[in-house]
């Protein structure tokens, strides 16, 4: 680098490697999956399964080693949304609820470990969600209205 204040040259392409996700998949045998930039963009741009844009507030809850974090982080950052990052480690439903209320979260991804207790809880947080997810299923907007 010559010390100039100009922009760096972009050397990446849609086929460039974005990250490697390690998974056992359905086989039980660990393997690395190469994820390209275009795959990340396809997940969160011009989607037909969820509405993404500058009005959403995402809650980033998934560990970085879990592929749901790709949706949470890049879904927010590539669409002009706000990204709220939960502290690492296990969090309780009450802590998730407090974060949702405090930051006016509209979009979150809940794994079965969180979504099943959340959906059956009598002490759900009140608010309006544009998008929530239970594993690979996305619920339509306002499914969770009144929580």
């Amino acid at each position: 680098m010559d010390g100039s204040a100009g922009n760096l040259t972009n050397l990446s392409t849609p086929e460039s490697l974005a990250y490697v996700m390690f998974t056992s998949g359905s086989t039980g045998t660990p393997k690395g999956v190469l994820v390209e930039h275009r795959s990340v963009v396809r997940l969160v741009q011009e989607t037909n399964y969820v509405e993404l844009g500058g009005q959403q507030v995402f809650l980033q809850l998934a560990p970085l080693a879990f592929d749901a974090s790709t949706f949470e982080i890049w879904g927010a950052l590539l669409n002009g949304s706000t990204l709220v990052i939960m502290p690492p480690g296990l969090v309780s439903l009450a802590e998730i609820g407090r974060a949702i209320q405090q930051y006016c979260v509209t979009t979150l991804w809940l794994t079965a470990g969180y979504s099943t207790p959340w959906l059956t809880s009598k002490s759900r947080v009140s608010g309006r969600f544009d998008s929530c997810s239970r594993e690979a299923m996305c619920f339509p907007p306002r499914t969770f209205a009144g929580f």
Side-chain angles (χ1 to χ4, degrees):
M1 184 133 170
D2 63 7
S4 68
N7 290 333
L8 297 175
T9 303
N10 182 1
L11 301 176
S12 66
T13 69
E15 294 78 25
S16 295
L17 183 64
Y19 63 93
V20 177
M21 176 67 59
F22 288 92
T23 178
S24 61
S26 59
T27 66
T29 303
K31 62 181 173 267
V33 177
L34 306 177
V35 181
E36 298 174 342
H37 284 266
R38 68 177 169 182
S39 299
V40 175
V41 171
R42 175 62 194 111
L43 176 67
V44 298
Q45 292 277 279
E46 299 179 22
T47 63
N48 62 1
Y49 65 93
V50 64
E51 197 173 311
L52 302 174
Q55 68 279 9
Q56 272 82 30
V57 178
F58 279 72
L59 182 62
Q60 199 277 309
L61 183 60
L64 294 178
F66 183 45
D67 58 353
S69 67
T70 302
F71 171 77
E72 295 169 336
I73 295 167
W74 295 109
L77 298 180
L78 292 178
N79 289 287
S81 304
T82 300
L83 180 61
V84 176
I85 302 173
M86 287 294 288
L90 293 175
V91 294
S92 68
L93 288 178
E95 290 170 306
I96 294 170
R98 282 192 294 275
I100 289 168
Q101 287 183 322
Q102 180 178 355
Y103 299 105
C104 301
V105 171
T106 61
T107 307
L108 70 155
W109 181 285
L110 295 174
T111 62
Y114 281 119
S115 65
T116 300
W118 180 271
L119 293 172
T120 58
S121 171
K122 294 192 183 321
S123 60
R124 291 184 294 243
V125 65
S126 63
R128 185 180 134 269
F129 293 104
D130 293 325
S131 308
C132 295
S133 181
R134 183 172 186 256
E135 294 293 46
M137 182 169 70
C138 288
F139 296 99
R142 288 163 286 294
T143 297
F144 293 92
F147 272 159

